[in-house]
Amino acid sequence: MAKQTASKKEMGFEESLWDAANKLRGSVESSEYKHIVLSLIFLKFISDKFETQRQTLIDEGMGDYVDMVEFYAKDNVFYLAEESRWTFIQQHAKQDDIAIKIDTALHTVEKNNASLKGALPDNYFSRLGLDVSKLSALIDTINNIDTIANQCHMTEEDLVGRVYEYFLGKFAASEGKGGGEFYTPKSVVSLIAEMIEPYKGKIYDPCCGSGGMFVQSLKFIDSHNGNKKDISIYGQEYTSTTHKLAKMNLAVRGISGNLGDVAGDSFFRDQHPDLKADFIMANPPFNQKQWRADNELVDDPRWTGYEVPPTGNANYAWIMHMISKLSENGTAGFVLANGSMSSNTGGEGAIRQKIIENDLVDCMIALPGQLFYTTQIPVCLWFLTKNKSGTNKEQHLRNRQGETLFIDAREMGTMISRVHKELTAEDIAKIADTYHAWRSETSEPHQLDSASSTSQSSPYKDISGYCKSATLDEIKANDYVLTPGRYVGAAELEDDGIPFEVKMTELSQTLYQQMEQAEALDNAIRENLAMLGYGPSSKASGN
């Protein structure tokens, strides 16, 4: 019973914090307010870590070193000058210049910690002109994180990470289409991570938003008893404010990553030109238009061996950019609009045909609609790999050359609101288990830790309406279209055990009854019309 009570607290604290913070938003736009709230959460968290480290130094008789940056940096703790500490902000929360003090605090934190360069909002609080009483109340609300952490028996790092993630999702929902620029639904990210199993090596996201793919990769490693030190993170984000969100998102979880020195376009200002990644996870902008001019990037080496991607849609530019970044055994999992599976516009069909003929497509998944805040249309997941031969024995995969797995998951998911759906943990497990069973060299999918894995042990088999392992010849016969529905077919109807003769008799009797009812209704309507003077022999009056 105690466990259930704790669980209820853990389920509700994010929402209660969100409600309290959102009530204080006033007239500030959600797109602006998220930077205020998330910056304060970040400042509170790093301040608490600093104070803990400072006290540890004092307790160990090293009080003379409490103001030396290196004694904090060695344990991945940010050094904070007095005016940057949460206690200082709290003490001055009711003063008229509190917005200036917060801006100064964030600026000083960034100046004193090189790894946070470009990560924090610059003069944000002063510029927005927030009501002092609302800002003060918001500071008090965020200060409650301490109390909640103790009640839920969680580390503050875990709690702040969950709050940060929850707030990102809520801000994305409130911003609608604009929210998609920094947030990918958690269930979609979880599915990609469970599919490609990013347990060791370099992880890359060329359009990383607020860093959700990286966070989920670390969660995957934790849940499978892996070692976080076995991975390194590389990312890039075009929008400056979102780039800052990503840096803060990683920092509150103690994750170090290379997100580039500045925000930048991955096509024109690649921050990792020489990178070869073992895992790529991404949610590029859907059907991005006019991403280059007609005369730009025409001879780019990323398109070598393919047609130049059209200017009117960046889908295949993203695909080829990611292919160019894969290591010799690398795997990529990414989201694209459904049109990418069948489009022939601007040479896209020829590019897709070449990708298929190069045997890079490992798996295609059709997802249900309503998963995204940005669009209600259904989307798909692509999974590409550089090596289907099974020669990489560390992965325990079979030779899948000339084969591609198609999964139709359009009927999966559960509505969580009137307009939004999410994949359940069971949905994610079913899809990932299907893929792992298909590509595994034995009936046992590759596992990081067999004791903690829930993967199925039964061998893969095609299931009508759900999954199909197709050959290159079958894909060629379908004009190189990668839509799963073309391959999996219709689901088999379950036999209810009722003989045909019995079923036909019952259906016939039901039909006769309905026909009699229809005749009685027709007669009643005729009688009513006749009473009103509109019987079959009456004529409508005219002028």
Side-chain angles (χ1 to χ4, degrees):
M1 183 63 72
K3 189 173 183 181
Q4 288 181 339
T5 304
S7 177
K8 286 181 180 178
K9 287 179 181 175
E10 290 178 23
M11 288 300 291
F13 71 78
E14 301 104 320
E15 187 173 359
S16 62
L17 273 175
W18 166 260
D19 288 344
N22 204 40
K23 286 175 184 174
L24 300 170
R25 181 159 67 92
S27 60
V28 180
E29 290 293 329
S30 175
S31 57
E32 300 272 16
Y33 193 58
K34 70 173 175 285
H35 299 290
I36 293 172
V37 175
L38 296 174
S39 297
L40 287 174
I41 291 173
F42 174 76
L43 188 59
K44 167 77 168 67
F45 175 67
I46 63 171
S47 293
D48 288 350
K49 298 277 282 187
F50 166 81
E51 295 293 355
T52 299
Q53 181 79 346
R54 188 171 187 273
Q55 189 59 50
T56 298
L57 290 173
I58 293 172
D59 292 344
E60 293 177 353
M62 302 176 68
D64 293 340
Y65 304 102
V66 294
D67 289 319
M68 297 181 69
V69 176
E70 52 268 34
F71 282 88
Y72 297 87
K74 70 182 180 66
D75 293 315
N76 203 25
V77 175
F78 299 115
Y79 173 77
L80 304 182
E82 184 176 354
E83 68 272 19
S84 299
R85 300 170 193 170
W86 185 254
T87 50
F88 181 85
I89 297 300
Q90 264 195 300
Q91 289 167 6
H92 298 84
K94 305 292 190 291
Q95 296 182 3
D96 291 341
D97 65 345
I98 184 59
I100 295 174
K101 283 183 166 60
I102 295 172
D103 281 332
T104 301
L106 294 171
H107 173 75
T108 306
V109 170
E110 189 173 309
K111 183 180 71 174
N112 290 341
N113 298 277
S115 63
L116 290 176
K117 181 182 178 183
L120 306 181
D122 186 22
N123 290 328
Y124 222 83
F125 290 78
S126 308
R127 181 168 58 80
L128 286 179
L130 267 177
D131 180 82
V132 172
S133 62
K134 282 185 167 60
L135 186 52
S136 175
L138 179 60
I139 291 169
D140 289 340
T141 297
I142 292 170
N143 197 55
N144 286 336
I145 287 177
D146 284 342
T147 306
I148 296 168
N150 291 332
Q151 288 175 343
C152 296
H153 306 291
M154 298 171 67
T155 66
E156 191 180 358
E157 187 168 329
D158 286 341
L159 185 139
V160 169
R162 280 178 57 169
V163 169
Y164 201 95
E165 183 174 48
Y166 184 83
F167 274 38
L168 280 172
K170 296 294 283 186
F171 279 123
S174 64
E175 291 179 42
K177 187 173 181 179
E181 294 179 1
F182 62 85
Y183 186 78
T184 303
K186 184 179 177 182
S187 67
V188 176
V189 182
S190 297
L191 176 56
I192 294 175
E194 290 295 331
M195 289 282 286
I196 69 174
E197 300 181 302
Y199 60 93
K200 186 177 182 180
K202 297 176 181 177
I203 302 174
Y204 172 59
D205 184 347
C207 39
C208 68
S210 56
M213 297 286 184
F214 303 132
V215 171
Q216 200 58 44
S217 298
L218 271 294
K219 287 184 179 180
F220 171 82
I221 291 170
D222 282 342
S223 66
H224 291 270
N225 298 333
N227 188 344
K228 292 179 182 178
K229 294 181 180 179
D230 287 340
I231 67 163
S232 50
I233 287 171
Y234 297 84
Q236 184 160 344
E237 172 53 39
Y238 174 72
T239 307
S240 177
T241 51
T242 307
H243 186 244
K244 294 175 187 292
L245 286 180
K247 284 199 167 187
M248 284 194 288
N249 197 8
L250 296 187
V252 298
R253 301 165 192 277
I255 302 172
S256 58
N258 181 350
L259 303 186
D261 294 331
V262 294
D265 187 319
S266 291
F267 295 131
F268 289 91
R269 197 176 183 184
D270 187 357
Q271 301 282 295
H272 312 288
D274 301 318
L275 176 66
K276 293 297 180 183
D278 301 293
F279 302 98
I280 297 178
M281 305 169 68
N283 174 23
F286 293 164
N287 302 320
Q288 185 180 354
K289 302 182 186 305
Q290 305 307 320
W291 60 280
R292 68 174 180 89
D294 289 338
N295 61 344
E296 291 179 314
L297 300 180
V298 176
D299 298 318
D300 194 282
R302 288 171 287 191
W303 327 142
T304 301
Y306 299 92
E307 299 281 332
V308 178
T311 58
N313 193 318
N315 284 344
Y316 277 83
W318 284 112
I319 292 174
M320 288 188 283
H321 173 79
M322 287 185 272
I323 290 173
S324 74
K325 294 293 187 184
L326 281 175
S327 66
E328 61 181 6
N329 293 310
T331 300
F334 51 89
V335 188
L336 280 180
N338 268 3
S340 63
M341 299 188 287
S342 58
S343 172
N344 290 312
T345 306
E348 289 180 333
I351 298 172
R352 184 173 59 255
Q353 177 177 337
K354 190 68 175 177
I355 292 171
I356 293 167
E357 290 175 341
N358 288 343
D359 208 14
L360 296 173
V361 184
D362 209 31
C363 180
M364 298 295 300
I365 300 177
L367 292 176
Q370 299 180 281
L371 289 175
F372 283 75
Y373 297 118
T374 49
T375 177
Q376 299 302 309
I377 64 170
V379 298
C380 61
L381 294 181
W382 289 61
F383 292 91
L384 306 182
T385 184
K386 278 287 189 77
N387 183 5
K388 288 187 183 180
S389 68
T391 54
N392 183 2
K393 294 305 177 184
E394 276 190 29
Q395 296 177 312
H396 307 288
L397 305 180
R398 68 179 180 85
N399 184 347
R400 314 178 304 288
Q401 291 176 315
E403 299 176 40
T404 295
L405 177 65
F406 292 91
I407 296 177
D408 190 342
R410 288 177 295 174
E411 299 303 316
M412 290 186 174
T414 300
M415 297 301 295
I416 56 172
S417 73
R418 187 175 55 84
V419 294
H420 287 123
K421 181 182 286 189
E422 73 176 12
L423 296 171
T424 65
E426 291 75 20
D427 293 333
I428 293 169
K430 178 180 178 180
I431 296 169
D433 287 350
T434 300
Y435 176 57
H436 296 159
W438 172 79
R439 70 176 186 170
S440 177
E441 65 180 356
T442 66
S443 60
E444 285 286 347
H446 168 70
Q447 301 170 5
L448 289 177
D449 180 88
S450 57
S452 65
S453 176
T454 59
S455 294
Q456 65 182 33
S457 58
S458 57
Y460 170 83
K461 65 177 181 179
D462 291 342
I463 300 174
S464 296
Y466 172 60
C467 62
K468 163 73 175 176
S469 180
T471 65
L472 180 56
D473 286 340
E474 289 176 288
I475 297 174
K476 182 179 179 180
N478 279 281
D479 299 320
Y480 297 96
V481 170
L482 293 174
T483 308
R486 285 211 179 191
Y487 301 91
V488 303
E492 294 180 0
L493 296 176
E494 287 188 21
D495 185 357
D496 55 14
I498 302 173
F500 173 78
E501 292 78 6
V502 175
K503 189 179 295 185
M504 192 64 191
T505 300
E506 291 177 351
L507 289 173
S508 298
Q509 292 303 314
T510 301
L511 178 60
Y512 286 135
Q513 289 174 7
Q514 290 173 344
M515 290 168 68
E516 289 174 1
Q517 291 170 358
E519 186 176 355
L521 287 171
D522 285 342
N523 290 333
I525 292 171
R526 286 192 183 95
E527 290 175 6
N528 288 332
L529 287 171
M531 289 173 61
L532 294 171
Y534 295 101
S537 61
S538 64
K539 294 183 179 178
S541 60
N543 294 326

